[in-house]
Amino acid sequence: MKALDLRGLNPAPVTPFTRDGAVDHAAILRLGGWLGSIPGVKSLVVLGHAGEGTFLSTEEQAAVIQSFIKSTDGRVPVIAGITLEGTRVAAEEAKRAVKAGATAGLVYPSHGWLRFGYQKGAPQDRYRAVYEESGLPLILFQYPDATKATYNLETQLEIAAQPGVFAMKNGVRNMRRWDTEIPVIRRE
């Protein structure tokens, strides 16, 4: 896996739509081209919350990835949100992202975990399966502390140590945890 340097700006653009609800690929080309022209932009993170990834068909998801890649003539890596609910379907989503040209994947927790939590080992299994099935380099996504999908330090370290996991998006929104956990994660 070639190292991807994400130190800099990694915007997560919206997925624009036409008035009739279709994905607006012409607008993606303009938006991605503009974002990709900004000095310091290291990647575009598509199909996440703002990118409406969970609301698009599999064909639309692939086309969005391809349009964002085209918007910068492939100069700026495109990171695809891996958002589907179950581990098996998330792995399939990651395989489609690879086929569409994504450079990496930002793996979201299963949405049911937000309210109900998760079984011990389930997040680790999710990352392992997604990477083993797709080969897509992955980014650990730490959710806010206010949800039941936030990972404790042990879980974060176990995910970060897995093959294929190379970076972390930390959205914990708890500065005490940030100040104590981030130095440990960086050290490990």
Side-chain angles (χ1 to χ4, degrees):
M1 170 174 64
K2 182 182 174 233
L4 182 61
D5 180 9
L6 299 178
R7 292 172 292 184
L9 304 172
N10 298 278
V14 299
T15 297
F17 293 91
T18 63
R19 287 199 179 274
D20 65 354
V23 173
D24 189 338
H25 292 280
I28 288 175
L29 295 176
R30 291 190 303 274
L31 176 59
W34 171 69
L35 288 169
S37 73
I38 298 170
V41 168
K42 298 294 187 150
S43 73
L44 300 176
V45 183
V46 304
L47 301 176
H49 292 121
E52 306 278 355
T54 57
F55 300 103
L56 299 177
S57 71
T58 58
E59 294 81 12
E60 288 171 321
Q61 288 174 339
V64 165
I65 292 167
Q66 292 166 342
S67 288
F68 273 106
I69 292 168
K70 183 178 177 183
S71 75
T72 67
D73 295 321
R75 291 184 322 274
V76 178
V78 170
I79 297 170
I82 306 302
T83 60
L84 291 181
E85 185 69 24
T87 297
R88 188 173 302 142
V89 293
E92 291 297 321
E93 180 181 24
K95 287 198 294 193
R96 288 190 300 275
V98 168
K99 187 174 180 183
T103 304
L106 176 63
V107 179
Y108 286 66
S110 288
H111 299 109
W113 297 352
L114 297 174
R115 290 182 33 214
F116 305 112
Y118 53 86
Q119 293 179 333
K120 185 173 176 57
Q124 297 89 322
D125 291 345
R126 182 174 176 82
Y127 281 83
R128 185 178 305 104
V130 169
Y131 181 69
E132 286 176 357
E133 288 290 320
S134 70
L136 185 66
L138 302 176
I139 299 169
L140 188 167
F141 194 171
Q142 169 67 312
Y143 253 48
D145 225 10
T147 72
K148 292 184 179 180
T150 193
Y151 305 137
N152 63 26
L153 180 57
E154 177 185 0
T155 300
Q156 292 174 72
L157 289 170
E158 289 174 0
I159 293 170
Q162 291 186 16
V165 178
F166 75 99
M168 176 180 189
K169 175 183 177 181
N170 192 311
V172 73
R173 298 186 184 130
N174 174 333
M175 294 316 292
R176 283 195 179 116
R177 285 190 66 192
W178 179 277
D179 287 342
T180 58
E181 293 176 359
I182 295 299
V184 173
I185 292 166
R186 285 185 175 149
R187 203 170 42 245
E188 300 292 320

